[in-house]
Amino acid sequence: MTLVALPATSEPQDVLSVLDRDGAVILRELAPPSAMNRIIGETAPWFARAPVGQDDFRGYETRRVGALVARAPSAHDLILNPLVLAAAEGILLRHCARIQLTYTQAIRLGPGETPQPLHRDDEVYSLPPPGGVEWALIGMWAVNDFAAANGATLVVPGSHRWPRERVARPKEIGQAIMPKGSLLLHLGSVLHAGGANGTGEDRIGLSVNYALGWLRQTENQILAMPPERARTLPPRLQDLLGYSVHGRILGEVGLEDPRIAVLGQSAESVASYERAAGRSVDRTTLSGYGEATVPENAPSSGPAGPTRFRMDSDVERG
């Protein structure tokens, strides 16, 4: 089974058409090799201390590093790639008001690694999505060349339309063979797995996954990138990490939008960002307490500015 590969210059609608039909698509050489080299350098110290897996799913010759927004700054451009975000929004905004970054992981699949069992990434949630709904869009960047010999990701095109109990036959399984800097995109409901590495070199991939904005994130992005560091990030990345409100109130902090309550942004800047994104502005979480109500003894988060939110235990109860 052959996976469709599109050029990096493709239009979002072309990518969405293949995803809707096949559940998976390769975008060839979407990032330059230099970007992948930076990822290798930034993750190397973390891989040096990462343990190998201890089961068939995580592998026995595979090392993983998460929290890449904090640990690998070069991943920011990959996460914010316009074509990838357009594809993620095209799939996920059908069933939510905003998307979020749910999972980041660098994966070094070592020599001698055996094939991973086929699985669906949406199985992390207790219930499968209803028909026609996707919980997540999964991205796997090729940090080095993905080849059949070194364990390129196995994918079962069309399996997003299968009954959950159906088992893939060998002839139905494709492989994401792609050069360095390319990206495999697939739906969370698509069967896939890491392949077997029969070479003497690591196969390195970088997984960047997006999900419906009202689901719990697989990786807790707020803890992975706490406020004092998140303040320095681009607004779009802050939004994807979860420093935002889904709908009217989901994700609020002390009745305020977290960008106001935690990151110290103004209501005007948040409203401007929302309008630019084409979303209506709900004043409920933007009005909050206002700067004039910040107590003089409110805790400071450091040189980046004050954090207005205080836990109930810090305020006088009536």
Side-chain angles (χ1 to χ4, degrees):
M1 179 67 69
T2 302
L3 296 175
V4 172
L6 298 177
T9 54
S10 297
E11 294 295 325
Q13 190 52 52
D14 296 330
V15 178
L16 290 170
S17 295
V18 179
L19 283 171
D20 282 332
R21 186 191 68 204
D22 298 346
V25 65
I26 291 171
L27 300 175
R28 291 181 60 84
E29 298 174 306
L30 189 59
S34 59
M36 301 296 103
N37 292 340
R38 289 193 296 272
I39 293 292
I40 292 172
E42 291 167 356
T43 57
W46 299 98
F47 274 120
R49 67 186 73 174
V52 293
Q54 297 296 318
D55 55 41
D56 289 339
F57 186 83
R58 291 184 176 270
Y60 295 97
E61 301 294 340
T62 297
R63 300 178 189 272
R64 302 168 187 269
V65 171
L68 297 182
V69 176
R71 294 171 171 173
S74 294
H76 297 182
D77 288 341
L78 305 182
I79 294 166
L80 295 173
N81 181 278
L83 182 56
V84 178
L85 288 180
E89 291 185 335
I91 293 294
L92 300 173
L93 286 183
R94 301 167 185 174
H95 305 288
C96 64
R98 71 170 80 233
I99 67 171
Q100 63 179 337
L101 183 69
T102 183
Y103 183 73
T104 63
Q105 192 172 100
I107 304 168
R108 295 185 76 112
L109 199 150
E113 187 57 276
T114 55
Q116 187 183 40
L118 288 169
H119 61 282
R120 295 177 168 91
D121 279 352
D122 65 12
E123 292 168 347
V124 69
Y125 298 107
S126 301
L127 298 173
V133 178
E134 288 294 333
W135 289 156
L137 180 69
I138 314 303
M140 176 62 77
W141 290 87
V143 179
N144 57 6
D145 292 342
F146 274 36
N150 71 1
T153 306
L154 305 171
V155 185
V156 184
S159 56
H160 60 308
R161 302 185 186 278
W162 291 5
R164 290 275 161 156
E165 64 275 11
R166 179 174 166 182
V167 176
R169 295 171 292 181
K171 69 178 182 179
E172 295 174 314
I173 303 173
Q175 200 161 15
I177 297 170
M178 53 186 180
K180 181 175 184 173
S182 300
L183 174 69
L184 166 67
L185 282 177
H186 66 83
L187 304 179
S189 60
V190 163
L191 287 167
H192 68 285
N197 187 354
T199 73
E201 303 291 336
D202 289 341
R203 189 226 71 184
I204 310 173
L206 191 150
S207 185
V208 176
N209 305 340
Y210 308 86
L212 302 179
W214 46 265
L215 283 171
R216 181 174 177 124
Q217 293 160 308
T218 304
E219 179 180 55
N220 192 318
Q221 301 296 335
I222 301 298
L223 293 180
M225 179 58 86
E228 59 271 18
R229 298 188 63 186
R231 288 190 183 94
T232 66
L233 299 175
R236 185 69 173 106
L237 191 50
Q238 293 171 344
D239 182 0
L240 287 169
L241 287 173
Y243 288 98
S244 56
V245 173
H246 188 279
R248 295 189 63 187
I249 61 174
L250 190 62
E252 68 179 16
V253 178
L255 305 182
E256 290 184 302
D257 188 293
R259 289 166 289 191
I260 297 172
V262 178
L263 299 186
Q265 298 174 12
S266 69
E268 291 74 18
S269 67
V270 175
S272 177
Y273 172 83
E274 292 298 306
R275 292 192 188 99
R279 289 186 285 264
S280 60
V281 176
D282 190 313
R283 306 303 301 187
T284 303
T285 58
L286 297 187
S287 55
Y289 297 100
E291 292 295 340
T293 65
V294 180
E296 292 183 1
N297 63 346
S300 172
S301 61
T307 296
R308 297 222 310 276
F309 177 65
R310 298 192 301 164
M311 299 297 292
D312 285 348
S313 60
D314 294 331
V315 299
E316 184 177 344
R317 295 177 184 267

